[in-house]
Amino acid sequence: MSVVESVKVPVSDGELYAEIVGSGPPLVMLHAGLLGAGMWDEQLELASDHAVIRYDARSQGRSSTGMVDYRPEEDLRELLDFFGVESASLLGNSMGGATASAFALRYPERVRRMVLSGPGIPPVEFRDPFLLARHREQAEAIEAKDADRYVDAFLRFAVDGPHRRPDEVDPGIRARCREMAMATVRKHHAAAGKMLERDVKAALEQITAPTLLVVGELELSDLHRIAGEAAQRMPEAELVEMAGCGHMTNMENPELFNELTSRHLLG
């Protein structure tokens, strides 16, 4: 694999930490909320067939803290413009899937194909009792200024999920996600800018890019519901369930995830 090059990409009112490696058709990786580009380490092997760009979103990881309201799909547009990429395939998990879907709706001519794992399709309505309980724990942790408790609640819903205890999940995956989430919380706790959402759900039929939707068998019920609806309404979408996985499908079973992704992207 080629050497990974890191760069700071200027965007409106800030900058994004990005990495680029490989050559071929462009592939942009968009991470889950609170994490960062490092969640895609196992997917860097895709750089054998693609020019891979992965980056930390605004107010996440090594990117700058958002102090004014912003649209993440416009950050993605500015990132593609910076690298001189006219169109790219998009690989997104959770929040990254929400950004990818919003970008595909706003700039359809710039999206070749998408792989969306456990995607949020904004606006997201959360109903899962397990998730809502963890959100309450996070709100209490914010009030108490308890970063550890906040991240623990995040790991419970975003890594373990409702069907597993923490000790039933690969400890290496939990440790990596904890490290990334703590780095985000510590650096960006004073963020004043809000991430503005585009109503993608109302216009799913307009997203025509060939899309592979991936959902873990042990995923939250909300994300099963969201992925299922997207698969029904998007004209060129296919839904695949990965057995034995929760939300972090790409980390839990990278061999299968990479095979599914590569097959879809190469058409």
Side-chain angles (χ1 to χ4, degrees), residues 33-92:
L34 280 191
L35 301 186
M39 75 166 289
W40 300 114
D41 283 354
E42 290 85 353
Q43 281 64 59
L44 288 183
E45 68 177 50
L46 297 172
S48 61
D49 297 307
H50 298 85
V52 169
I53 301 169
R54 62 177 187 169
Y55 71 101
D56 293 351
R58 190 187 297 242
S59 292
Q60 313 276 312
R62 293 153 289 187
S63 291
S64 62
T65 302
M67 301 310 292
V68 298
D69 295 350
Y70 64 98
R71 290 193 178 274
E73 67 269 26
E74 298 303 329
D75 283 352
L76 175 55
R77 176 188 58 78
E78 291 191 69
L79 177 126
L80 292 181
D81 290 347
F82 176 86
F83 286 110
V85 173
E86 292 187 6
S87 64
S89 293
L90 306 178
L91 170 57

Side-chain angles (χ1 to χ4, degrees), residues 204-205 213 225-239:
L204 282 170
E205 289 82 1
L213 296 153
R225 169 175 51 83
I226 290 168
E229 181 177 354
Q232 289 181 343
R233 293 177 53 199
M234 293 169 63
E236 296 292 335
E238 174 189 2
L239 177 62

Side-chain angles (χ1 to χ4, degrees), residues 110-186:
R110 303 195 70 171
V111 179
R112 297 180 179 182
R113 289 175 172 266
M114 295 194 293
V115 177
L116 308 181
S117 178
I121 304 292
V124 177
E125 177 189 0
F126 294 119
R127 306 173 188 171
D128 191 301
F130 176 85
L131 176 60
L132 294 177
R134 303 293 80 74
H135 281 176
R136 287 193 294 272
E137 290 176 3
Q138 287 187 305
E140 293 167 2
I142 291 172
E143 185 70 22
K145 296 182 172 57
D146 189 338
D148 286 309
R149 186 181 177 194
Y150 183 89
V151 171
D152 283 342
F154 165 77
L155 295 175
R156 288 292 290 125
F157 70 76
V159 180
D160 310 334
H163 306 292
R164 296 181 294 188
R165 301 187 310 270
D167 62 2
E168 295 178 306
V169 179
D170 184 327
I173 294 174
R174 290 189 106 254
R176 283 173 60 194
C177 290
R178 168 177 277 281
E179 182 180 7
M180 286 185 279
M182 286 300 297
T184 289
V185 170
R186 286 170 176 155

